[in-house]
Amino acid sequence: MSVFDARVRDGLARTGMLRVGDEEIKTPAAVDILRLFPSLLDRPFTNLPLSAPKSDADKYYVAGKDPVSFHPLADCPAESGDVVMVPGWRSVLGDARRYAEYLSPLFAGTPPDVARYAPACALPSNAAMLIATGFDLFDYTAVDLASVQKKFCMTEGEFDASYMDKGVCGCEGCRTGNLALHNRLALDREIAVVKTWIESGQIRDLIEQRCRLHAEQVGLLRHLDRSPVTSAALPAVRSSRFMANSAESMTRPEIAFFEDRVVNRFVPSRNDVCVLLPCAARKPYSLSKTHQKFQRVIEGRAHEVIVTSPLGVVPRELELLYPAGHYDVPVTGYWDREESAILVEYVAAYLAKHRYERVICHLEGGAKAVATAAAEKAGVVLEHTCNDDRPSSPDSLRALNNALHDCRKRRSDSIRGTLAWQFGELVDTKGWITKGRYPEQKIFDKKQQIFSIDSSTGLLRPTMEGWQFISGYRVTISDGFVPQGDILAPGIFDCDPNIREGDEVYVTGSGYLATGKAAMSADEMLRSSRGVAVRVRKTKKM
Ligand SMILES: [Zn+2]
């Protein structure tokens, strides 16, 4: 009998704990699978190829138990906590399109809280990608096969056994001339590395690096960036860095997710005049020297909007939010054509949705070219105030000041802007007071604290009183269920379908209220029978 619990999530990847009898295995992990599940020996000739048609699936699919077999065209009886084996996954390792396609039925056809086992697949060169695409459990078959074939396995690939004498590895296997031991240890080591990147919320940064020497993995990454399976698993925000160092960084679903809310949820503080500004290496931008110069000139006389790669558009109100406050990008002074084409779409969508009376372009170089093309696309006329390609030069700042001479001063309302982005609701913030040193701030309505800023993610944390201003992001617990500490998935009766991991949520039940942070998505909360769903910050029993 085996039971699996997912712990830390990072997109589709997660760490977890698998219990089989008395044994506890921290996942992801490679295991001696026949020792763990000896019943596999009694199931010969039951594996259907993934590509088998429905008529074959109907006839030959055998689900089995511990682990339960999966086939894309058969009804899988797996329940929460089971181990689900995907026979034949090895056949899609070299076929990025089918790999990405088969993930949809796998996630839709099994509960989210099963451990996914990919037999005979894992090598040090593909383990990171397998884990990043939701697999938790592996065996040593592929590395043992490589050993028989006299291949030396590294994260970079499989090489001739003579590599062992080149001094590239100092493991016990290499020290004793034991190729099979080296290959197994290399797999264990890579899985341990991946685990640490999941725990820091940066598996994507690792994947963009690991895929580079394998065309099929780069192809898979590109397919996954267009897949609803990937975007469905995104957290609302993260607190980790965002290293935008490769071409694939531009197509991270996090960016499209952020910009979609900037266009469709966010509403600017004003619509008379907007200034497009360049980004700054320092985050949040407003703590940088150049942005302090801009803000001293603008003096609240225009809505400030930053044009940046790889995000596109960051309204000043949202500069703390992930990934706006978290990305690092190599600065070369030019934006390449593909990058610019993506950014034009984001800026044009913003300008088309949020109509201003005037748009001032205080940009140079690639950002100016992007804004110009985007404005044309959106049918907006730009006024240019940076004519010497140096936005913070005295001439440029003077031109910006002159362009704003008859504009009204108005406070930028980052609380209203962030609430709109975070909850999709426009809240009247009149009379609210912000206290504390930016960005560690608390928000009060008269003397009552209603929100605080989580400066690590940029989200607003509502207090019990703060939730009275928000109507969504509710989690309802089942009648008669009185939580002790965190809220577990089986106790949840219903929840707002918009909830993602990392979101602030309000828990309600009979005689019970709590504020907290979602530890899983709405879909997982409703389909899981195990695990922490909400990490509770404060409770109120009535
Ligand atoms: Zn070694």
Side-chain angles (χ1 to χ4, degrees):
M1 175 67 187
S2 61
V3 177
F4 175 72
D5 273 303
R7 298 273 163 89
V8 180
R9 291 163 182 77
D10 185 357
L12 296 171
R14 64 262 175 98
T15 65
M17 176 68 81
L18 175 65
R19 287 185 189 80
V20 183
D22 297 338
E23 201 168 338
E24 291 193 335
I25 298 154
K26 286 182 179 163
T27 63
V31 296
D32 184 349
I33 203 77
L34 290 176
R35 188 183 56 75
L36 207 59
F37 298 120
S39 71
L40 280 171
L41 281 171
D42 306 329
R43 290 156 63 176
F45 309 112
T46 57
N47 289 349
L48 268 183
L50 285 172
S51 56
K54 180 89 172 75
S55 53
D56 284 358
D58 290 344
K59 230 193 263 177
Y60 301 114
Y61 170 68
V62 177
K65 186 122 190 73
D66 252 357
V68 183
S69 260
F70 173 84
H71 188 273
L73 297 177
D75 286 333
C76 179
E79 292 172 11
S80 288
D82 279 349
V83 175
V84 168
M85 172 173 73
V86 191
W89 197 256
R90 192 182 164 85
S91 68
V92 296
L93 292 181
D95 186 338
R97 190 179 53 80
R98 287 174 63 228
Y99 189 123
E101 274 174 16
Y102 285 138
L103 288 177
S104 297
L106 174 58
F107 292 126
T110 55
D113 53 348
V114 295
R116 303 180 195 103
Y117 163 43
C121 286
L123 291 165
S125 61
N126 66 14
M129 191 56 104
L130 284 164
I131 296 167
T133 50
F135 288 96
D136 310 283
L137 197 62
F138 310 98
D139 52 43
Y140 291 106
T141 308
V143 278
D144 287 350
L145 181 63
S147 305
V148 172
Q149 295 168 333
K150 300 271 180 275
K151 295 284 182 204
F152 182 81
C153 297
M154 302 206 294
T155 55
E156 292 87 345
E158 295 71 52
F159 302 91
D160 190 81
S162 63
Y163 258 60
M164 203 146 95
D165 307 324
K166 292 183 193 286
V168 295
C169 177
C171 79
E172 193 195 334
C174 289
R175 286 200 306 274
T176 56
N178 185 338
L179 181 65
L181 181 59
H182 160 85
N183 283 344
R184 282 190 170 214
L185 290 175
L187 177 59
D188 289 341
R189 204 164 48 229
E190 174 66 355
I191 291 172
V193 168
V194 178
K195 231 182 265 181
T196 65
W197 286 76
I198 294 172
E199 280 160 3
S200 65
Q202 288 181 282
I203 194 165
R204 175 65 183 227
D205 294 320
L206 179 71
I207 285 297
E208 284 184 18
Q209 181 209 101
R210 283 290 195 259
C211 72
R212 292 268 82 87
L213 293 170
H214 314 284
E216 71 283 357
Q217 290 190 22
V218 177
L220 177 57
L221 192 59
R222 292 180 186 169
H223 279 293
L224 289 173
D225 280 352
R226 295 154 169 263
S227 164
V229 165
T230 315
S231 46
L234 284 183
V237 286
R238 300 171 192 269
S239 56
S240 50
R241 300 301 302 169
F242 179 116
M243 298 180 195
N245 293 339
S246 86
E248 283 76 25
S249 305
M250 290 293 304
T251 56
R252 286 194 195 189
E254 279 94 339
I255 298 178
F257 174 74
F258 176 82
E259 287 298 322
D260 176 64
R261 288 186 169 192
V262 168
V263 170
N264 296 311
R265 280 190 169 191
F266 170 76
V267 176
S269 302
R270 61 197 289 171
N271 60 7
D272 51 349
V273 54
C274 160
V275 180
L276 302 178
L277 294 169
C279 61
R282 178 135 187 216
K283 311 286 178 320
Y285 307 123
S286 59
L287 296 181
S288 74
K289 282 216 165 66
T290 53
H291 274 246
Q292 286 173 355
K293 273 187 197 171
F294 297 147
Q295 291 195 300
R296 272 198 298 273
V297 171
I298 296 168
E299 282 191 297
R301 291 179 294 170
H303 184 228
E304 299 171 28
V305 174
I306 292 91
V307 174
T308 180
S309 180
L311 298 196
V313 181
V314 181
R316 174 69 74 199
E317 297 95 317
L318 308 181
E319 67 171 12
L320 270 183
L321 279 164
Y322 181 89
H326 304 70
Y327 68 95
D328 284 319
V329 64
V331 178
T332 54
Y334 62 85
W335 292 0
D336 70 39
R337 212 171 273 216
E338 174 147 0
E339 182 179 16
S340 297
I342 297 172
L343 297 172
V344 165
E345 294 299 321
Y346 287 135
V347 180
Y350 181 86
L351 291 175
K353 178 70 185 282
H354 304 304
R355 290 285 174 185
Y356 298 92
E357 289 162 29
R358 295 171 62 202
V359 181
I360 296 170
C361 176
H362 195 73
L363 300 169
E364 51 97 19
K368 185 177 185 173
V370 162
T372 305
E376 196 173 317
K377 211 170 162 165
V380 170
V381 179
L382 295 181
E383 299 170 38
H384 292 277
T385 49
C386 172
N387 298 314
D388 59 1
D389 279 346
R390 290 186 299 136
S392 51
S393 75
D395 274 357
S396 293
L397 294 176
R398 206 172 301 123
L400 179 58
N401 186 37
N402 289 342
L404 296 173
H405 81 276
D406 59 353
C407 299
R408 285 178 302 132
K409 281 188 190 179
R410 202 196 285 176
R411 191 175 63 97
S412 161
D413 192 343
S414 64
I415 304 306
R416 180 173 174 272
T418 306
L419 289 174
W421 187 96
Q422 181 175 347
F423 297 112
E425 297 179 29
L426 278 183
V427 180
D428 183 3
T429 61
K430 204 160 167 240
W432 291 6
I433 305 158
T434 301
K435 292 183 186 169
R437 191 184 164 88
Y438 184 80
E440 307 291 339
Q441 292 177 311
K442 293 185 168 77
I443 293 91
F444 292 80
D445 180 27
K446 300 192 179 73
K447 286 194 172 147
Q448 182 70 59
Q449 189 190 333
I450 45 177
F451 297 99
S452 62
I453 296 176
D454 180 350
S455 62
S456 68
T457 61
L459 287 188
L460 285 165
R461 279 185 296 232
T463 62
M464 293 281 181
E465 292 73 19
W467 277 110
Q468 309 318 313
F469 295 93
I470 309 291
S471 64
Y473 288 78
R474 298 311 203 248
V475 173
T476 317
I477 50 179
S478 309
D479 273 349
F481 187 86
V482 182
Q484 306 293 327
D486 292 337
I487 313 287
L488 302 176
I492 291 177
F493 172 70
D494 199 7
C495 63
D496 186 330
N498 286 315
I499 293 170
R500 288 175 178 268
E501 186 212 333
D503 264 321
E504 292 294 326
V505 294
Y506 191 42
V507 186
T508 61
S510 52
Y512 178 88
L513 293 170
T515 61
K517 195 185 273 291
M520 53 174 73
S521 67
D523 175 61
E524 269 195 272
M525 286 184 193
L526 297 175
R527 292 205 298 140
S528 297
S529 310
R530 316 186 59 80
V532 174
V534 179
R535 295 200 191 285
V536 166
R537 196 161 48 245
K538 205 158 187 191
T539 58
K540 200 160 149 185
K541 294 198 174 90
M542 292 164 302

